[in-house]
Amino acid sequence: MFYFPCCSLLPESFPVLGVADGTMWTSLAGILLLLGAALLLGTIAEQLRQSALLGYIAAGTLVGPNLLGWVSNQKDIFDLAELGVALLLFAIGLEFSLPRLRRLGRIPLLAGTLQVIFTLLAGLTVTALLGFSIAESLAVGAMIALSSTACVVRMLNDRAELDSPHGRTALGILLVQDIAVIPLMLIVTALLNGGTPGEVIVQLGLSLLLAAVFVAVFYGLFNFVLPRVLELSSLRRNRDFPILLAMLMAAGSAWSAHQLGLSPALGAFVAGVLLAISPFATQIRADIQPLKTVLVTLFFAAVGMFADLGWIAGHLGLVLAVVAAIVLGKLVITFGLAYLCGQPWQFALGTGLCLAQVGEFSFVLATVARGEPGISSILSENTFRAMIAATIATLILTPYLIQLAPGAADLIRRLSQRKPKQVDEQAASNIIVEDSASKTESDFIIILGFGPAGQRVAGELLQVGLKHIVVIDLNHENLQIAKQYGLHAQLGDATQIEVLEHAGLYRARLVIITLPSPTIGRQIIHLVRQMAPGTSLYVRCRYHLHHWQLLAAGADVIVDEEEHVGERLAQQFLESSLYQQLSSSSREPEKKREQQDS
């Protein structure tokens, strides 16, 4: 356990400030050390053009119990960090509504089921041939069957490949694997405790029943109760309440799944999918983003704490052999099954590369199978250490394998020096759909704020045929009006990067800010200029005093309300009958003087 060295400098008679025994603060010190080391080594990894995940894992190894020993309570930290995985899956679920999830098709479901079965059997067969017991071989096969949802989803999301053909299939297979955690955990537990197959079947049936209850309860909650709660005026006035509600839903869904004996990450994902149809989904996703980032980083650092570099150095050949067998074996199995299930071979190869690692739930299975050495244990100490080392090694390799996934097929074509063959009809249709989608969605306008000003802007744009418009507003009533206009309406705080990204800022040609606050306007201008410097910015300026501030912030066109009001007042007067009367009366003395002069 890590202790602050400065504590020894205090006199023993110095009074203790507070009533806590210090355990919480010691745990917090370990968490801060992990996050600090992750920040440092993650930054170094990025500077070296490597994935930041490598730095996070290296940070946990460095300060963990097997190297410097500054942080030793790895189980407590790992348990806390698992919430980060649940929040990550909850956020991804908010992107995948039920209709979009159904569009994943049958390939991920079928390929995922077969992948778990075939990988488990392959691991069981190989280890049994090497002289392991059936129980130990089955535990190893169960561990190898799972891939890393946290690592793969994080990398695909960062690379904007989650909706690519290989990304969609990989996500679907990962969801099947998360479901498979339940029966695999029951099998390993039964082997450890000597349970009968009948007891395992009964427990599995109970788990399926509880899963159905979980989905039904959350479906009713999110579709009938939550909309009425979110429409309360107090929630719209106070930004603290929606943030607290978002965290309650995200963490509560994971906790509820855990209490029912289900996978917390899978439970959080299901809750996110059920909530995705709500107009509040984007803002909820943005509200949980900071905590999700912290806990996911802590998760990968906690994974690194399991590494024992001394043991790995003494058994380097064994570890490399296990890593090679896992990566190549899972690549071949996943690629073959995805291809046989109907996915084009180019995308099947990318899917195989994405899933050629051992996942985070394998740590849980390994810990359960290890039990208490000498009392009740399935895995020997060497097998446990070898699997932990191999799991961490495959996670380190994952960013590089995912980088290869999009261009793997082209690379094979070049190496084989064959002429590129025409892709099959399904691949071609996928490419055509994606290209057409990118063409139709690459030229659109974002309107921030849909009050009277935003509504007038949208009306004028619709009249000239510009229909690809996205509206962002925090007022639910304004969003209803936007939907009546036939526009895509999104509830969210436009000062948050997550909301602007989800709205498609990177593809927008024009952003129109109709919000009256100059402070909020400057914040949004800075974000847009930072994220999409080529996007045009038209901004509303309520008072002439702020005109130059908005211009200096980076706005392209500013509509100054005071100048505009002055122009419109003058124009209205010049078009009125009063102007004609005053003008004619003012010209009469001039005419009289001209007549006298003449």
Side-chain angles (χ1 to χ4, degrees):
M1 194 73 67
F2 176 81
Y3 297 95
F4 285 105
C6 61
C7 295
S8 61
L9 301 179
L10 295 176
E12 294 184 1
S13 59
F14 194 84
V16 178
L17 300 180
V19 295
D21 60 0
T23 304
M24 185 272 288
W25 296 107
T26 303
S27 300
L28 179 60
I31 292 174
L32 293 176
L33 264 174
L34 274 177
L35 292 177
L39 175 62
L40 176 61
L41 295 183
T43 303
I44 294 175
E46 288 283 357
Q47 289 294 322
L48 298 176
R49 299 183 182 277
Q50 306 299 314
S51 171
L53 297 182
L54 305 180
Y56 301 158
I57 295 175
T61 303
L62 178 65
V63 303
N66 297 314
L67 198 59
L68 295 180
W70 291 350
V71 184
S72 60
N73 53 340
Q74 61 191 89
K75 184 182 183 303
D76 294 340
I77 292 178
F78 189 80
D79 290 341
L80 173 63
E82 276 192 289
L83 179 59
V85 180
L87 293 180
L88 175 63
L89 267 293
F90 180 78
I92 296 300
L94 290 172
E95 293 283 352
F96 279 82
S97 60
L98 286 174
R100 185 179 176 188
L101 199 59
R102 282 195 293 266
R103 287 198 296 269
L104 291 177
R106 62 175 180 84
I107 294 177
L109 178 62
L110 183 58
T113 304
L114 294 176
Q115 184 270 335
V116 172
I117 295 173
F118 276 77
T119 308
L120 187 149
L121 292 176
L124 171 64
T125 303
V126 171
T127 49
L129 291 175
L130 293 175
F132 288 70
S133 66
I134 296 299
E136 190 171 16
S137 299
L138 190 57
V140 171
M143 293 170 58
I144 295 175
L146 303 176
S147 300
S148 175
T149 303
C151 189
V152 174
V153 170
R154 166 75 180 269
M155 289 296 300
L156 289 175
N157 197 42
D158 290 345
R159 292 172 57 84
E161 294 175 4
L162 196 58
D163 208 30
S164 64
H166 68 276
R168 290 196 299 267
T169 305
L171 176 63
I173 293 176
L174 286 169
L175 295 178
V176 174
Q177 290 180 357
D178 286 343
I179 296 174
V181 169
I182 301 170
L184 292 178
M185 183 68 72
L186 292 174
I187 291 172
V188 173
T189 304
L191 291 173
L192 185 67
N193 300 326
T196 63
E199 293 175 349
V200 174
I201 294 175
V202 171
Q203 288 294 325
L204 181 58
L206 180 60
S207 297
L208 293 176
L209 177 61
L210 292 175
V213 172
F214 175 86
V215 173
V217 169
F218 272 83
Y219 180 83
L221 179 65
F222 289 159
N223 285 274
F224 300 105
V225 178
L226 189 62
R228 291 176 172 80
V229 174
L230 290 172
E231 290 177 3
L232 294 176
S233 58
S234 58
L235 282 175
R236 293 200 298 266
R237 289 195 302 266
N238 192 325
R239 279 288 294 129
D240 294 344
F241 295 157
I243 294 174
L244 294 174
L245 185 60
M247 283 308 308
L248 181 63
M249 289 184 291
S253 60
W255 177 84
S256 300
H258 174 72
Q259 291 298 110
L260 294 175
L262 307 174
S263 165
L266 183 63
F269 178 81
V270 171
V273 169
L274 295 176
L275 191 59
I277 59 175
S278 167
F280 304 92
T282 301
Q283 186 58 46
I284 291 173
R285 188 170 179 264
D287 287 337
I288 67 171
Q289 178 68 21
L291 183 59
K292 183 198 76 175
T293 300
V294 172
L295 291 180
V296 169
T297 302
L298 185 63
F299 169 80
F300 288 107
V303 166
M305 293 175 64
F306 285 91
D308 188 345
L309 295 182
W311 188 93
I312 293 174
H315 302 79
L316 186 60
L318 172 63
V319 173
L320 292 178
V322 174
V323 170
I326 290 174
V327 172
L328 294 177
K330 295 196 72 171
L331 171 59
V332 172
I333 291 173
T334 307
F335 163 71
L337 292 174
Y339 178 71
L340 291 176
C341 290
Q343 190 177 33
W345 73 269
Q346 296 90 340
F347 302 142
L349 180 59
T351 302
L353 287 168
C354 289
L355 301 179
Q357 80 285 128
V358 183
E360 56 274 358
F361 288 112
S362 299
F363 288 100
V364 181
L365 288 176
T367 303
V368 172
R370 185 190 190 189
E372 298 181 13
I375 302 177
S376 59
S377 177
I378 298 175
L379 294 181
S380 66
E381 189 65 21
N382 280 338
T383 304
F384 174 80
R385 290 178 178 270
M387 291 304 303
I388 292 296
T391 299
I392 294 174
T394 58
L395 290 176
I396 292 174
L397 291 175
T398 298
Y400 303 105
L401 295 175
I402 291 180
Q403 289 175 11
L404 290 175
D410 294 334
L411 179 62
I412 292 176
R413 288 196 188 102
R414 289 196 297 269
L415 292 177
S416 60
Q417 295 182 350
R418 295 178 180 177
K419 293 182 179 180
K421 295 183 179 181
Q422 190 173 8
V423 297
D424 58 28
E425 294 181 359
Q426 183 175 354
S429 62
N430 286 338
I431 294 172
I432 291 172
V433 170
E434 289 179 359
D435 288 344
S436 62
S438 63
K439 288 179 181 178
T440 57
E441 295 180 3
S442 62
D443 186 9
F444 69 95
I445 299 168
I446 299 177
I447 299 178
L448 305 181
F450 206 67
Q455 295 167 22
R456 181 62 183 269
V457 170
E460 296 291 336
L461 295 178
L462 290 173
Q463 284 185 2
V464 298
L466 296 175
K467 298 180 180 180
H468 298 291
I469 301 173
V470 178
V471 172
I472 301 177
D473 200 302
L474 274 172
N475 190 314
H476 186 68
E477 296 175 356
N478 289 342
L479 297 183
Q480 295 299 325
I481 297 174
K483 290 179 179 179
Q484 294 174 3
Y485 277 65
L487 304 177
H488 177 71
Q490 176 178 307
L491 185 140
D493 183 356
T495 62
Q496 293 181 304
I497 292 180
E498 185 78 14
V499 173
L500 294 176
E501 285 180 341
H502 187 271
L505 176 63
Y506 297 118
R507 302 189 306 273
R509 299 292 298 275
L510 170 64
V511 174
I512 301 175
I513 303 176
T514 68
L515 301 170
S517 171
T519 303
I520 293 177
R522 288 196 302 272
Q523 292 178 8
I524 297 174
I525 292 171
H526 288 309
L527 287 177
V528 173
R529 283 290 165 255
Q530 176 185 354
M531 299 165 60
T535 302
S536 299
L537 264 171
Y538 283 45
V539 183
R540 168 189 180 182
C541 176
R542 192 166 189 179
Y543 300 107
H544 183 71
L545 173 67
H546 305 295
H547 182 107
W548 297 107
Q549 296 175 359
L550 297 173
L551 193 63
D556 294 307
V557 175
I558 297 176
V559 177
D560 191 322
E561 286 191 26
E562 291 187 324
E563 288 186 357
H564 186 66
V565 168
E567 293 173 357
R568 289 294 297 166
L569 286 174
Q571 182 179 357
Q572 292 290 332
F573 167 68
L574 294 176
E575 293 175 354
S576 66
S577 58
L578 178 61
Y579 167 71
Q580 299 296 333
Q581 297 174 3
L582 294 177
S583 177
S584 59
S585 62
S586 63
R587 284 196 298 268
E588 288 179 359
E590 294 181 1
K591 289 181 180 179
K592 290 181 179 180
R593 284 196 299 270
E594 289 176 358
Q595 291 176 356
Q596 293 176 356
D597 293 340
S598 62

